[in-house]
Amino acid sequence: RVSGMSSSSSTVVYEGWMVRHGRRKIGRSFIHMRYFVLETRLLSYFKRKPQHKMPKLPIKSLHIDGNCRVEDRGLKMHHGHMLYVLSVYNKREKHHRITMAAFNIQEALIWKEKIEMVIDQQQGVVSPDGNTAFSSSQQNAGVENGRKSSSSDRDSQ
């Protein structure tokens, strides 16, 4: 389902149609169906599903790192439709955010879970045994949680 779309630097974690929810200057809210693509370091949305042969530029994209948060905005009504709204933003630049919504709560929760998983992977890479193996920049931060001998602990040998 995802094959062929991945570039060398990033792979698609999750993708699909979601509702782009926003507010105009005069206070009227609007919704548009947009195709969202979540990659290992990027959340983008497009007017149409990007084709493998002709990759399109996204309408908007947000770089995902350990400073990002997914905010649960709860249910909103839009012309009789219930929308479950999520807002994704970076703590360092709160004004730069992507607000997305789904018509059912399950779909919104899947997106929330997938985005949070990507954020967690940017904070510390989780090794297969479930322990957090810190990336080189965070190697020293992991020392105080009791030293377990691992291949990265060179001093213990």
Side-chain angles (χ1 to χ4, degrees):
R1 182 171 108 76
V2 178
S3 63
M5 269 194 72
S6 57
S7 61
S8 56
S9 61
S10 202
T11 43
V12 174
V13 177
Y14 198 62
E15 59 181 309
W17 290 97
M18 285 285 277
V19 180
R20 171 83 184 92
H21 180 268
R23 199 166 278 291
R24 302 215 189 288
K25 298 259 188 303
I26 49 174
R28 286 180 61 83
S29 60
F30 65 87
I31 58 173
H32 303 298
M33 289 305 285
R34 294 290 181 252
Y35 196 81
F36 281 81
V37 177
L38 174 64
E39 296 173 64
T40 41
R41 290 187 193 82
L42 201 67
L43 174 65
S44 318
Y45 64 88
F46 304 81
K47 220 169 196 159
R48 296 184 189 81
K49 182 177 178 173
Q51 302 300 315
H52 316 311
K53 298 166 217 65
M54 294 175 54
K56 287 191 171 55
L57 284 171
I59 299 173
K60 187 173 178 181
S61 56
L62 181 71
H63 178 77
I64 300 219
D65 61 23
N67 294 307
C68 287
R69 294 290 172 268
V70 186
E71 204 172 83
D72 199 320
R73 291 294 187 81
L75 288 165
K76 295 229 189 316
M77 283 295 281
H78 181 82
H79 300 303
H81 294 288
M82 289 297 270
L83 288 175
Y84 196 82
V85 184
L86 300 173
S87 183
V88 187
Y89 66 93
N90 192 314
K91 284 193 303 188
R92 293 211 174 120
E93 331 164 73
K94 284 195 173 151
H95 59 277
H96 189 59
R97 60 173 64 223
I98 287 182
T99 306
M100 58 201 292
F103 290 116
N104 66 4
I105 189 167
Q106 286 84 2
E107 187 63 21
L109 291 176
I110 290 170
W111 273 97
K112 184 173 194 279
E113 192 181 292
K114 299 281 183 192
I115 296 167
E116 283 173 345
M117 182 187 80
V118 170
I119 293 168
D120 288 347
Q121 284 170 351
Q122 298 306 317
Q123 284 174 328
V125 185
V126 177
S127 58
D129 60 357
N131 292 330
T132 305
F134 290 92
S135 60
S136 55
S137 63
Q138 291 170 303
Q139 202 117 39
N140 301 340
V143 175
E144 63 265 11
N145 356 347
R147 299 194 65 124
K148 295 182 194 73
S149 65
S150 71
S151 57
S152 63
D153 278 343
R154 279 180 211 84
D155 352 343
S156 59
Q157 276 124 20

